Amino acid sequence: MKNQKTKSYSIVRIKDGKKEYLQDEVVEEKSLSIYLNSQKIATLMCTPQDQNYLGLGFLFSEGLITDIKEVRRIDYNALRDTVKVQTKKKKKASRVLLKDETLISGCGKGKSFQKMEDVTFLEDVLINLEFTLSTEQISNLMKEFEIKSSVFKKTGGTHSAALADKDQILLFNEDIGRHNAVDKIIGESLIQKIPLEDKLLISSGRVSSDILLKSWRAKINLILSRSAPTSLAVDLAQRLGITIVGFARGKRMNIYSYPMRIVK
Amino acid sequence: MKNQKTKSYSIVRIKDGKKEYLQDEVVEEKSLSIYLNSQKIATLMCTPQDQNYLGLGFLFSEGLITDIKEVRRIDYNALRDTVKVQTKKKKKASRVLLKDETLISGCGKGKSFQKMEDVTFLEDVLINLEFTLSTEQISNLMKEFEIKSSVFKKTGGTHSAALADKDQILLFNEDIGRHNAVDKIIGESLIQKIPLEDKLLISSGRVSSDILLKSWRAKINLILSRSAPTSLAVDLAQRLGITIVGFARGKRMNIYSYPMRIVK
């Protein structure tokens, strides 16, 4: 469901003391209210594009839906700026969950229902290290990622996210919010029924704890970013068996956790 | 109240195919719960520094406190990661307000209690155009701003915000979230009783609608950013009489609204 992604404005550009009057493209920002059945879960500010992916991805990456099989239908209403996700069985977010949400740190969205306590039990789980990647594959994926980031090139105002296998980008999206971009990718992968265990997430934005927990819920074990991670993201990644590769630019990258997944 | 802003991690750096094992600084991320009297308003993920400014600035820029004179005391508890702001008179955020919050788009935080309807009456208000600035002053302020962004230089993982008059930066802060950085600046200016009508806000991050509304509440009429604005921010700025200068880099800048404040 593609919509308008930029709007044109009359601006004044100043360059070396000279004034110029011109039309410039600015990235569009709109609200989206996400409902689980008849319950309003959140209102996000986002780029109005692929709102159904965003709604579904948000509910999934925040743990309110755990399997696409639960979903009966998804309705996006462009006039009211709502996405309503209906489940087959009655399902409600608990009051406690909604009351206890944490506001996230970063570009994209801002609410998280994920609790640190949820992840502690994970220490008993076997970490799968079979999915590996070479540094050359990473450089190639980052090159493809940059080329695809077209709205950013036009407006300088968006974050990008992608789902990739070892060799190529499978899904790509852009949004004013880095969390939204990731949620759109997760939502689309659910609808397309793409298994995520042997895929990686690429983000233009910083890897904060909320991005890490979203990936963990989606069972993605490797995150590639051109930016920095935060301390809490690295701590969680070390506990949950997720590889964070930060500052992936050209032939250079920093590996913050589980470096054994990056071979050669 | 300064705290640790970065943590050191053992990482693997890959550069031109060569592996290197080293210690690297990563920006710290921690939660902060903000209370208005005994009511929990929000939990943010942020950089653990100047939490009292963040708590106060957040409540003010979201319209839950409208004057520093209302405030009796501010308590930051570093063990529990809470800031409690107590007012002289009993004050409670309404249930409706808390229920209807919007999740914001961008780096920093994620919840906004500001409604678009709140700003409509503003059309009757006289817009003050007395505060003007030259392009040279803007270039100089941006240069000073870049020099001050030290945590960013160390970790690549933070946003910066500053309050400035025409000639120099008065307050400066950094946070993993661009909204948090702005709220810290607003909080500090309240405590230091700095009038904001003749000041400008500088941000390293994008100017989205929530950043614009935070400035508007703080009565700041000019926003300077090295990044892009969103469409909704420009629309609101045009309505509220706020000047947005984006992509302010070196001697270059784009003026998206009220260009008459930028002289020469």
Side-chain angles (χ1 to χ4, degrees):
Chain A
M1 201 162 307
K2 300 277 164 187
N3 263 310
Q4 198 182 350
K5 287 190 275 186
T6 63
K7 268 177 90 176
S8 188
Y9 289 86
S10 303
I11 70 157
V12 182
R13 176 167 294 159
I14 294 170
K15 208 175 152 180
D16 298 320
K18 275 181 217 137
K19 266 190 194 181
E20 205 186 334
Y21 294 84
L22 69 158
Q23 287 294 113
D24 193 36
E25 294 293 304
V26 172
V27 67
E28 176 130 37
E29 180 187 8
K30 254 189 141 185
S31 71
L32 179 72
S33 292
I34 298 169
Y35 288 77
L36 177 59
N37 297 316
S38 58
Q39 191 181 14
K40 186 171 166 182
I41 302 294
T43 301
L44 317 178
M45 299 309 293
C46 62
T47 305
Q49 181 215 349
D50 296 327
Q51 307 296 58
N52 48 349
Y53 296 157
L54 177 54
L56 178 66
F58 177 84
L59 293 175
F60 184 80
S61 76
E62 295 296 332
L64 299 172
I65 289 175
T66 51
D67 194 320
I68 184 68
K69 289 179 193 143
E70 293 177 46
V71 176
R72 195 165 58 125
R73 55 183 289 173
I74 303 167
D75 296 290
Y76 168 54
N77 186 324
L79 288 176
R80 297 187 174 190
D81 294 320
T82 59
V83 169
K84 298 194 175 187
V85 177
Q86 282 183 45
T87 53
K88 290 172 193 161
K89 289 184 189 162
K90 272 189 188 165
K91 190 173 183 123
K92 238 186 122 172
S94 75
R95 276 182 163 278
V96 176
L97 191 73
L98 290 181
K99 208 169 152 258
D100 271 9
E101 88 268 9
T102 297
L103 304 185
I104 58 174
S105 69
C107 284
K109 174 197 59 105
K111 183 143 85 172
S112 176
F113 303 108
Q114 311 194 36
K115 293 278 155 296
M116 295 305 148
E117 300 86 68
D118 290 355
V119 303
T120 51
F121 73 93
L122 241 259
E123 306 201 9
D124 296 331
V125 169
L126 192 68
I127 291 163
N128 180 355
L129 293 171
E130 274 171 35
F131 179 63
T132 60
L133 209 66
S134 74
T135 56
E136 202 189 328
Q137 284 171 320
I138 289 176
S139 297
N140 290 340
L141 287 171
M142 287 310 287
K143 203 186 285 173
E144 196 187 345
F145 186 71
E146 302 301 331
I147 292 167
K148 281 188 187 288
S149 302
S150 63
V151 180
F152 179 77
K153 265 173 233 134
K154 218 192 289 180
T155 66
T158 52
H159 274 292
S160 312
L163 186 76
D165 63 17
K166 291 178 189 214
D167 299 312
Q168 61 183 324
I169 288 175
L170 306 172
L171 305 176
F172 180 87
N173 225 310
E174 289 175 288
D175 197 284
I176 53 163
R178 68 187 158 93
H179 300 87
N180 295 345
V182 168
D183 280 338
K184 283 177 177 178
I185 289 301
I186 292 175
E188 188 171 2
S189 71
L190 286 172
I191 288 173
Q192 294 204 18
K193 298 195 171 53
I194 301 174
L196 298 176
E197 291 83 350
D198 57 349
K199 304 295 181 307
L200 58 135
L201 181 74
I202 311 178
S203 169
S204 64
R206 288 160 305 133
V207 182
S208 49
S209 61
D210 31 69
I211 293 283
L212 192 104
L213 290 175
K214 279 180 186 293
S215 307
W216 172 62
R217 285 229 191 250
K219 300 192 170 48
I220 295 171
N221 291 317
L222 205 154
I223 304 172
L224 209 57
S225 168
R226 66 182 323 283
S227 304
T230 67
S231 67
L232 195 50
V234 177
D235 294 344
L236 284 168
Q238 287 172 347
R239 235 161 89 189
L240 299 174
I242 294 171
T243 301
I244 299 179
V245 180
F247 295 104
R249 296 168 187 192
K251 290 189 184 302
R252 199 182 156 143
M253 62 201 73
N254 290 347
I255 311 170
Y256 292 89
S257 52
Y258 289 84
M260 49 290 252
R261 285 206 184 91
I262 313 302
V263 292
K264 216 194 52 152
Chain B
M1 199 163 302
K2 300 277 168 191
N3 262 312
Q4 196 182 349
K5 285 189 276 184
T6 62
K7 267 176 89 176
S8 188
Y9 288 87
S10 304
I11 69 156
V12 182
R13 176 167 292 159
I14 294 170
K15 208 176 156 181
D16 298 320
K18 273 181 219 142
K19 267 190 190 177
E20 205 187 335
Y21 295 84
L22 68 158
Q23 287 295 112
D24 193 37
E25 295 293 304
V26 172
V27 66
E28 176 130 35
E29 180 187 7
K30 254 188 141 182
S31 71
L32 179 72
S33 291
I34 298 170
Y35 288 76
L36 177 59
N37 296 316
S38 58
Q39 192 181 14
K40 185 171 166 182
I41 303 294
T43 302
L44 317 178
M45 300 307 296
C46 63
T47 304
Q49 180 213 349
D50 296 327
Q51 306 296 60
N52 47 348
Y53 296 156
L54 177 54
L56 178 66
F58 177 85
L59 292 174
F60 184 79
S61 76
E62 295 296 330
L64 300 171
I65 289 175
T66 51
D67 194 321
I68 184 69
K69 287 178 194 143
E70 293 178 45
V71 176
R72 194 166 57 124
R73 55 182 289 174
I74 303 168
D75 295 291
Y76 169 53
N77 185 325
L79 288 177
R80 295 185 178 195
D81 293 318
T82 59
V83 170
K84 298 194 175 190
V85 177
Q86 282 183 46
T87 52
K88 288 169 194 161
K89 288 183 189 164
K90 271 188 188 166
K91 189 171 185 125
K92 236 186 124 174
S94 76
R95 272 183 167 277
V96 177
L97 190 74
L98 290 182
K99 210 172 151 254
D100 270 8
E101 89 269 7
T102 297
L103 304 184
I104 57 174
S105 69
C107 282
K109 171 198 64 96
K111 185 145 81 171
S112 175
F113 303 108
Q114 310 193 39
K115 292 278 153 297
M116 296 306 148
E117 300 88 68
D118 290 356
V119 304
T120 51
F121 73 93
L122 242 257
E123 307 199 8
D124 297 332
V125 169
L126 192 68
I127 291 164
N128 180 355
L129 293 172
E130 275 172 34
F131 179 62
T132 60
L133 209 67
S134 75
T135 56
E136 200 189 328
Q137 284 171 319
I138 289 176
S139 297
N140 290 339
L141 287 172
M142 286 310 288
K143 202 186 286 175
E144 195 186 347
F145 185 71
E146 302 298 331
I147 291 167
K148 282 189 187 289
S149 301
S150 63
V151 179
F152 179 77
K153 267 174 233 133
K154 219 193 288 181
T155 67
T158 51
H159 274 293
S160 311
L163 186 78
D165 62 18
K166 292 179 191 217
D167 299 313
Q168 61 182 326
I169 288 175
L170 306 172
L171 305 177
F172 180 86
N173 224 311
E174 289 175 289
D175 196 284
I176 54 164
R178 69 188 159 93
H179 300 86
N180 293 345
V182 168
D183 280 337
K184 283 177 176 178
I185 289 302
I186 292 175
E188 187 170 3
S189 71
L190 286 172
I191 289 174
Q192 294 204 19
K193 296 194 174 50
I194 302 174
L196 297 178
E197 290 84 349
D198 57 350
K199 304 295 182 307
L200 58 133
L201 180 73
I202 311 178
S203 168
S204 64
R206 287 163 304 136
V207 181
S208 49
S209 61
D210 31 70
I211 294 283
L212 192 106
L213 290 175
K214 278 179 187 291
S215 307
W216 171 63
R217 286 232 191 248
K219 298 191 171 47
I220 295 171
N221 290 318
L222 205 155
I223 304 173
L224 208 57
S225 167
R226 66 183 320 282
S227 304
T230 68
S231 67
L232 195 51
V234 176
D235 294 343
L236 284 167
Q238 286 172 349
R239 233 160 92 189
L240 299 173
I242 293 172
T243 301
I244 298 180
V245 180
F247 295 103
R249 298 166 187 193
K251 289 185 184 307
R252 199 183 157 143
M253 63 201 73
N254 289 349
I255 311 171
Y256 293 89
S257 52
Y258 289 84
M260 50 289 253
R261 286 205 183 93
I262 313 301
V263 293
K264 219 198 47 155

